Amino acid sequence: MYHPNMFESHHMFDMTPKSTSDNDLGITGSREDDFETKSGAEVTTENPSGEELQDPNQRPNKKKRYHRHTQRQIQELESFFKECPHPDDKQRKELSRDLNLEPLQVKFWFQNKRTQMKAQSERHENQILKSDNDKLRAENNRYKEALSNATCPNCGGPAAIGEMSFDEQHLRIENARLREEIDRISAIAAKYVGKPLGSSFAPLAIHAPSRSLDLEVGNFGNQTGFGGEMYGTGDILRSVSIPSDTDKPIIVELAVAAMEELVRMAQAVDPLWVSTDSSMEILNEEEYFRTFPRGIGPKPLGLRSEASRESAVVIMNHINLVEILMDVNQWSCVFSGIVSRALTLEVLSTGVAGNYNGALQVMTAEFQVPSPLVPTRENYFVRYCKQHSDGSWAVVDVSLDSLRPSTPILRTRRRPSGCLIQELPNGYSKVTWIEHMEVDDRSVHNMYRPLVHSGLAFGAKRWVATLERQCERLASSMASNIPGDLSVITSPEGRKSMLKLAERMVMSFCSGVGASTAHAWTTMSTTGSDDVRVMTRKSMDDPGRPPGIVLSAATSFWIPVAPKRVFDFLRDENSRKEWDILSNGGMVQEMAHIANGHEPGNCVSLLRVNSGNSSQSNMLILQESCTDASGSYVIYAPVDIVAMNVVLSGGDPDYVALLPSGFAILPDGSVGGGDGNHQEVVSSTSFGSCGGSLLTVAFQILVDSVPTAKLSLGSVATVNSLIKCTVERIKAAVACDNGGAGGGA
């Protein structure tokens, strides 16, 4: 409590100098006279006879007359002062010679100038302190008045704080805090009511994953999307529109309630969360509805509840993590394997105090699994960020589908989901992630249903595993003492450019391998679960792709081999000739290698295919392999030798044309080798406790260099045969590598 008289003195912060001259810095005044008297030096006076001055220890009877500096001298001195307020003897002598002044005149001018600047600074600080003093005094008076007018809620008479029970007092404080937060955010949101959306920000530009991730530690850059990534972008969530003014107070209240629910769920233990045999935490649904009876309403008919929680320590500070989550471009970039498309519809609040505390955004996003056999999940939601009193940060999403009465069928709904971030020493953070969805997953292919139902496809474990891997990638890319880089990379700039190019290649692959609604897949055959799906696009005026008609083909299938063994086989350059038809059986040599974390499989490589035919030139392949607890990728693209030399020299990688192809490897969601949908079940002794693997193969091929040409059926048949042949080779090779156990799917 403030003391009533603590701010009574009006001069407690009075630091105004008693006397200061702001003028005449060009005149050698009385202060200079003191210095000159002590130094015994001569001064410049009007003395036509040229006689020397009197003894400096005697005061002259007649007042000294001094020369006023010329305008040019003052300008030169002012200009030099801006660069160097404290010149040394040599600099003063040079100035005096250039300006036809005595060195002492120059010295004293700089002393006076520094004194003047200090006085001005003190006056400014004094004004600020006086202003703060007035504010504190006014706040003190408000507190005194509020305490004197406190009343009892029951009888209406005067009340003291001590008359309330501890629980009642705690509830009243918490209630007041929540109401204050709602009022504050509502006031911020009200500023934007009636404003044209483009006046403050431009959120309606569709985001496609950005070209490259800025390799500054802890900062993924201010990424900008570019349209048509891999397969092009269509109209995302066509039924979504900007929220109306009447909806904004509802959105604010919903966000505040969702934040409170997320924090409680992140900190809760049994019986709300139950641990499974696979060390995952899943939600006790009955206990959840008892604990949170209101929420966003009961579960709609036909939807299945899916909730999980995961925690991890990541090598990134909490401030940069919050920035990644609140910037739609950075968020989509880091989680490119999960977020196929995203955009911000409207920013209701940008936060306070120069950070994201209190930031509120209305967003839409599409979440995917890297396979055309699993439908994407589209969500329309509000994202809210808050810093709590203990220093932790939380970012929460909650669906706004109740505000869209025109939605034809609700297939997915996002209950309060997000993460709690706690600061740890040495730039680390502890992240507790919660994913809580209600979905209609009846259209998921039978082969992927066990994976989806296990929670590994869209659950918290996948988000956290991806975040861990990306944080390691960023930290490793900035380290200069990591062994393993081969001599073909001659500079740090070349290393950075190669990583940027690989990152663009990975994002291009991930944005098109799934079942996004922006894609128009066509099934080429109906011979089994590994049907080939194809689609075409025209590439024009894109420096990142060769011009012409690009044919994309993808297929997914199950093999009875553990995911790690499949990953190691596909990323190994020594086994590449066993499945890569385009290498023509040539030997593959690794020319460059950049590690991306502690896991040996997480790396970027530059491969050279040495053709066995002397008439054919050698080929360069850029490859990135990455793996984590949720799945693995092996992604590659042929690169032009001349363009790659520019990249290795530190040149701009954005103009290197890429058509990425590769593999997405996921666990099948079963233990010991599959379920009824996987006919070739193998023992866990042979293939580990992970069961089999779900493998998606995706190719991109330039079938015509003329964008206006029509695609021929022969080109489609060729690509269909190519991908089928690759699949058969992989099945045979991994079966042979596994001791001949198991065939194809």
Side-chain angles (χ1 to χ4, degrees):
M1 178 61 65
Y2 293 97
H3 193 279
N5 299 319
M6 66 183 295
F7 299 116
E8 288 299 317
S9 175
H10 293 274
H11 305 288
M12 61 182 297
F13 294 120
D14 190 0
M15 300 168 64
T16 307
K18 297 304 180 183
S19 64
T20 304
S21 175
D22 295 337
N23 307 319
D24 298 339
L25 282 175
I27 302 175
T28 309
S30 60
R31 186 184 300 273
E32 295 174 4
D33 186 49
D34 293 341
F35 286 123
E36 290 170 352
T37 302
K38 293 177 183 177
S39 64
E42 292 183 355
V43 296
T44 304
T45 63
E46 293 188 8
N47 190 0
S49 64
E51 297 180 358
E52 294 185 359
L53 296 173
Q54 300 178 4
D55 186 344
N57 293 323
Q58 298 179 1
R59 302 289 295 183
N61 295 329
K62 191 174 181 180
K63 186 176 181 181
K64 295 180 181 179
R65 297 163 58 197
Y66 299 99
H67 283 301
R68 180 183 297 272
H69 296 335
T70 66
Q71 188 67 27
R72 174 184 169 274
Q73 290 172 335
I74 294 175
Q75 290 176 350
E76 292 293 334
L77 290 169
E78 291 277 4
S79 176
F80 195 91
F81 182 85
K82 293 178 181 179
E83 300 294 332
C84 179
H86 294 272
D88 55 24
D89 290 339
K90 182 179 179 181
Q91 291 172 316
R92 287 198 297 268
K93 288 179 181 178
E94 291 178 357
L95 273 174
S96 66
R97 185 170 57 252
D98 295 341
L99 301 178
N100 196 23
L101 295 173
E102 294 294 331
L104 279 178
Q105 286 181 289
V106 176
K107 175 181 178 180
F108 297 145
W109 187 92
F110 275 88
Q111 288 177 342
N112 286 347
K113 182 66 175 178
R114 290 194 295 269
T115 302
Q116 180 199 22
M117 298 300 292
K118 181 179 179 181
Q120 290 176 348
S121 176
E122 288 176 348
R123 280 199 301 272
H124 179 67
E125 292 177 359
N126 195 21
Q127 291 174 353
I128 294 176
L129 291 173
K130 284 183 177 180
S131 176
D132 291 343
N133 191 3
D134 294 338
K135 291 179 181 178
L136 290 172
R137 186 185 295 110
E139 188 175 359
N140 192 12
N141 292 334
R142 285 200 306 271
Y143 287 147
K144 289 166 59 179
E145 183 180 357
L147 287 174
S148 62
N149 295 331
T151 58
C152 174
N154 296 325
C155 64
I161 296 296
E163 293 179 2
M164 294 186 234
S165 67
F166 176 80
D167 291 339
E168 184 180 359
Q169 182 180 349
H170 179 75
L171 289 174
R172 288 180 180 277
I173 293 174
E174 182 70 11
N175 189 37
R177 182 188 64 80
L178 290 174
R179 288 189 177 277
E180 180 182 355
E181 185 173 359
I182 291 175
D183 292 341
R184 178 174 61 86
I185 299 178
S186 297
I188 296 174
K191 295 179 182 180
Y192 301 99
V193 174
K195 277 191 176 183
L197 195 61
S199 61
S200 302
F201 22 72
L204 292 181
I206 284 185
H207 168 78
S210 54
R211 284 190 179 275
S212 60
L213 188 136
D214 191 356
L215 298 176
E216 295 179 2
V217 172
N219 180 15
F220 281 79
N222 189 12
Q223 305 290 341
T224 56
F226 64 102
E229 186 58 63
M230 188 166 184
Y231 297 113
T233 55
D235 181 20
I236 183 170
L237 297 177
R238 288 173 293 275
S239 61
V240 173
S241 59
I242 300 172
S244 65
D245 297 343
T246 56
D247 290 336
K248 291 177 182 178
I250 302 174
I251 293 174
V252 170
E253 189 169 355
L254 188 62
V256 172
M259 175 63 71
E260 183 180 6
E261 178 177 321
L262 178 80
V263 174
R264 290 177 62 187
M265 290 183 68
Q267 299 172 345
V269 292
D270 187 73
L272 186 62
W273 293 100
V274 180
S275 297
T276 64
D277 295 337
S278 57
S279 71
M280 290 179 59
E281 288 185 304
I282 60 174
L283 186 67
N284 182 336
E285 196 169 348
E286 293 183 2
E287 185 65 26
Y288 168 79
F289 283 110
R290 279 197 295 268
T291 308
F292 305 101
R294 293 183 60 189
I296 59 175
K299 180 174 64 177
L301 293 176
L303 300 189
R304 181 180 63 87
S305 180
E306 185 179 286
S308 58
R309 181 174 69 174
E310 187 75 17
S311 298
V313 175
V314 299
I315 182 171
M316 182 175 286
N317 68 61
H318 60 297
I319 299 299
N320 290 324
L321 283 175
V322 169
E323 182 179 352
I324 288 171
L325 295 172
M326 296 305 296
D327 185 315
V328 67
N329 294 318
Q330 294 190 51
W331 176 62
S332 302
C333 176
V334 173
F335 298 102
S336 59
I338 304 175
V339 182
S340 58
R341 294 185 294 170
L343 64 90
T344 301
L345 291 173
E346 185 167 4
V347 178
L348 299 182
S349 169
T350 57
V352 294
N355 57 39
Y356 284 103
N357 184 23
L360 198 66
Q361 305 173 0
V362 178
M363 303 175 62
T364 184
E366 186 180 47
F367 307 108
Q368 69 170 355
V369 168
S371 171
L373 301 182
V374 181
T376 56
R377 297 179 177 182
E378 298 176 349
N379 285 115
Y380 171 56
F381 57 93
V382 60
R383 175 165 292 179
Y384 176 39
C385 177
K386 180 183 177 184
Q387 184 181 21
H388 295 275
S389 57
D390 60 355
S392 64
W393 288 78
V395 178
V396 64
D397 299 342
V398 62
S399 279
L400 299 176
D401 297 285
S402 59
L403 303 180
R404 292 193 299 166
S406 59
T407 303
I409 301 176
L410 184 62
R411 298 191 179 277
T412 176
R413 187 167 71 160
R414 194 167 177 81
R415 285 190 177 271
S417 303
C419 65
L420 184 67
I421 304 170
Q422 297 169 287
E423 180 183 9
L424 296 179
N426 301 321
Y428 285 77
S429 301
K430 180 183 178 182
V431 177
T432 302
W433 201 291
I434 292 173
E435 279 296 307
H436 192 180
M437 303 282 288
E438 292 169 338
V439 297
D440 178 4
D441 56 9
R442 288 172 292 184
S443 57
V444 174
H445 195 282
N446 289 337
M447 187 167 55
Y448 278 85
R449 193 160 292 173
L451 175 68
V452 173
H453 287 186
S454 70
L456 290 174
F458 294 97
K461 190 177 187 68
R462 187 178 176 211
W463 286 92
V464 171
T466 301
L467 180 62
E468 281 186 285
R469 173 169 54 79
Q470 287 282 36
C471 289
E472 281 192 5
R473 185 187 199 275
L474 189 62
S476 298
S477 67
M478 295 305 298
S480 58
N481 58 348
I482 295 181
D485 290 4
L486 301 182
S487 58
V488 72
I489 305 176
T490 58
S491 67
E493 291 77 16
R495 188 174 189 267
K496 181 176 180 179
S497 293
M498 182 170 165
L499 284 171
K500 282 188 174 181
L501 182 61
E503 197 256 349
R504 173 161 68 90
M505 175 183 68
V506 171
M507 295 181 63
S508 177
F509 176 85
C510 291
S511 67
V513 73
S516 172
T517 54
H519 304 164
W521 291 108
T522 301
T523 302
M524 292 301 299
S525 61
T526 56
T527 58
S529 60
D530 54 342
D531 299 337
V532 177
R533 288 164 171 77
V534 299
M535 109 178 96
T536 60
R537 65 176 301 275
K538 293 181 180 180
S539 176
M540 299 178 64
D541 302 325
D542 187 350
R545 291 192 189 88
I549 297 180
V550 177
L551 181 61
S552 305
T555 186
S556 298
F557 57 95
W558 178 80
I559 52 176
V561 182
K564 186 179 186 308
R565 182 165 296 185
V566 177
F567 173 70
D568 290 338
F569 171 78
L570 292 174
R571 74 179 182 88
D572 186 1
E573 69 273 11
N574 295 319
S575 60
R576 189 180 191 93
K577 62 181 180 180
E578 298 184 37
W579 58 264
D580 189 358
I581 300 175
L582 300 180
S583 65
N584 294 321
M587 296 299 297
V588 180
Q589 178 185 2
E590 188 176 44
M591 303 296 296
H593 179 98
I594 302 177
N596 275 338
H598 73 280
E599 173 63 45
N602 290 340
C603 63
V604 175
S605 303
L606 183 63
L607 308 176
R608 182 173 66 186
V609 180
N610 299 311
S611 176
N613 188 344
S614 58
S615 63
Q616 294 181 351
S617 60
N618 295 335
M619 178 173 58
L620 287 182
I621 295 176
L622 180 67
Q623 175 177 293
E624 175 159 352
S625 58
C626 53
T627 184
D628 55 48
S630 66
S632 308
Y633 293 89
V634 178
I635 302 168
Y636 62 92
V639 289
D640 180 71
I641 295 178
V642 176
M644 201 63 208
N645 284 332
V646 174
V647 171
L648 294 176
S649 301
D652 186 1
D654 285 349
Y655 292 93
V656 178
L658 290 176
L659 285 178
S661 302
F663 308 93
I665 309 157
L666 301 177
D668 62 7
S670 63
V671 177
D675 58 11
N677 299 312
H678 304 147
Q679 300 300 323
E680 299 187 19
V681 179
V682 295
S683 67
S684 59
T685 304
S686 301
F687 302 108
S689 59
C690 296
S693 301
L694 297 170
L695 181 60
T696 297
V697 184
F699 282 166
Q700 284 195 101
I701 298 177
L702 184 68
V703 296
D704 200 316
S705 60
V706 181
T708 57
K710 294 183 179 180
L711 183 66
S712 65
L713 293 178
S715 300
V716 176
T718 299
V719 174
N720 186 30
S721 299
L722 176 64
I723 198 168
K724 283 281 191 181
C725 186
T726 302
V727 169
E728 293 305 322
R729 283 193 177 197
I730 292 174
K731 290 180 179 180
V734 295
C736 181
D737 180 65
N738 199 53

